[in-house]
Amino acid sequence: MSVTKIAIMGVGKIARDQHIPAIAARDDFELAATVSGSGGVDGIENHDTLADLLDARPDISAIAMTMPPMPRFDAARRAIAAGRHVMLEKPPGATTSEVRQLIDMARAAGVTLHGTWHSRHADAVASVRQWLATRTITGGHILWKENVREWHPGQQWIWQPGGMGVFDTGINALSILTEILPVDLRVRTSVLSFPANRDAPIAADLVFAGPDGVTITADMDWRYADTARWEQTIKTEDGTVKLLEGGARWTLDGVKQKAEGPGEYPGVYARFAELLSRGESDVDDRPLRHVADAFLLAKHISVDPFHDDA
């Protein structure tokens, strides 16, 4: 079995909690280095900059980029130009134009580009997609609510332009929605709530339109003080499917169904390994396009200022 030496760029919570354990669990990847200006991982070679890594380690053929989306384009562009395969944490870029350019660059360079959507690998998602494939969709609703102070403490970048605010997690719901539905949707209306002291929304109310009058609504809110709710309900002519816990389990007409999946980040790396073996890329920008459309169509509402320590 060939082993791909991979580096992680951006050693934050998501890298430590998800990427590093997922890599360690596989025989076909070796975490060979990190890129972090604030310290790397114990026992793993660290470089302060991507340029240092690219110069020092030509044997590292793949880089997982787990830093915030704003600096990701320049880093991915440099890595692709150096002939390295690139994995992008969600979202794949700060703008849709950046993503399209990276796709073209990777194709021209002959390297693999994988824009990951980890929630698509949650245990129940594949089963729901299969069940819905032959059904007629009649409507649905997304409920995506959590406490931002619990799940994103002190992360100031999420409130800056390009940080996406509530869509940083809400886009996970959209990644699942675009994966499981057999029809395409478009954003019809959008209401975004912006804290008076922030540049990104803390809540979003969306209406999606599909074929034959199908409507799916979405309620996303970072001010939810109770236990997080990550749920999607899809109604069909044959019954109602509900995805719970971010796609970890599902019900059909209220009855619990069997859910068997690889787990989110094990699934991400299994897919990356598959793409590398085939010399292919996989970058689906539909969830990001939905977010961009939500901003384009948005009615802006100013709400109370947000403070991390409130």
Side-chain angles (χ1 to χ4, degrees):
M1 175 187 296
S2 63
V3 177
T4 298
K5 292 185 178 181
I6 189 170
I8 290 177
M9 183 175 183
V11 185
K13 180 175 173 55
I14 196 69
R16 295 183 185 277
D17 291 353
Q18 302 294 345
H19 288 263
I20 293 172
I23 292 170
R26 297 189 64 87
D27 295 330
D28 49 1
F29 284 106
E30 174 193 342
L31 180 58
T34 59
V35 179
S36 175
S38 57
V41 178
D42 289 345
I44 302 295
E45 174 184 319
N46 183 63
H47 297 266
D48 290 337
T49 68
L50 177 61
D52 291 342
L53 172 75
L54 295 175
D55 288 341
R57 296 297 303 270
D59 58 316
I60 293 177
S61 60
I63 303 174
M65 299 190 169
T66 65
M67 67 286 211
M70 285 300 286
R72 203 174 295 155
F73 173 79
D74 284 338
R77 177 180 58 82
R78 286 176 177 268
I80 290 169
R84 313 301 170 96
H85 308 294
V86 173
M87 172 193 282
L88 302 168
E89 244 297 351
K90 64 85 188 168
T95 71
T96 57
S97 294
E98 287 184 355
V99 176
R100 301 312 299 178
Q101 287 186 39
L102 290 178
I103 291 171
D104 292 342
M105 291 175 191
R107 183 183 299 114
V111 300
T112 291
L113 180 66
H114 182 24
T116 67
W117 299 107
H118 61 82
S119 291
R120 288 182 172 180
H121 299 281
D123 289 351
V125 171
S127 297
V128 171
R129 178 184 181 184
Q130 183 177 5
W131 192 87
L132 290 174
T134 58
R135 266 73 186 192
T136 300
I137 309 299
T138 59
H141 181 64
I142 294 171
L143 191 65
W144 218 258
K145 296 187 174 187
E146 63 185 56
N147 183 347
V148 66
R149 292 187 179 91
E150 175 183 357
W151 293 94
H152 307 273
Q155 294 182 11
Q156 296 305 309
W157 65 267
I158 58 177
W159 300 111
Q160 298 167 0
M164 298 202 308
V166 71
F167 287 114
D168 177 66
T169 47
I171 201 170
N172 291 330
L174 303 182
S175 74
I176 294 174
L177 188 69
T178 50
E179 177 74 0
I180 63 176
L181 288 188
V183 297
D184 289 328
L185 302 175
R186 62 181 177 84
V187 178
R188 191 171 70 198
T189 65
S190 169
V191 179
L192 305 183
S193 298
F194 286 74
N197 62 335
R198 302 289 179 171
D199 293 317
I202 199 168
D205 291 288
L206 310 177
V207 177
F208 293 90
D212 302 319
V214 170
T215 296
I216 293 179
T217 56
D219 178 6
M220 303 174 181
D221 201 324
W222 264 357
R223 300 166 295 187
Y224 196 63
D226 209 338
T227 302
R229 296 183 66 182
W230 301 308
E231 305 170 6
Q232 301 196 40
T233 301
I234 305 297
K235 298 178 180 180
T236 79
E237 292 181 349
D238 299 310
T240 298
V241 166
K242 193 164 188 176
L243 273 164
L244 302 165
E245 298 173 14
R249 60 187 184 92
W250 70 294
T251 63
L252 175 59
D253 291 333
V255 179
K256 184 178 179 180
Q257 303 295 309
K258 188 176 182 179
E260 290 185 346
E264 295 189 11
Y265 282 87
V268 164
Y269 278 90
R271 178 59 174 157
F272 194 34
E274 178 185 23
L275 293 170
L276 290 172
S277 69
R278 295 180 178 179
E280 298 174 354
S281 292
D282 179 9
V283 186
D284 181 3
D285 67 351
R286 288 178 297 167
L288 184 60
R289 282 190 276 131
H290 282 321
V291 172
D293 289 347
F295 275 98
L296 283 170
L297 294 174
K299 175 181 179 181
H300 288 222
I301 295 177
S302 181
V303 297
D304 291 341
F306 173 83
H307 301 284
D308 287 305
D309 56 355

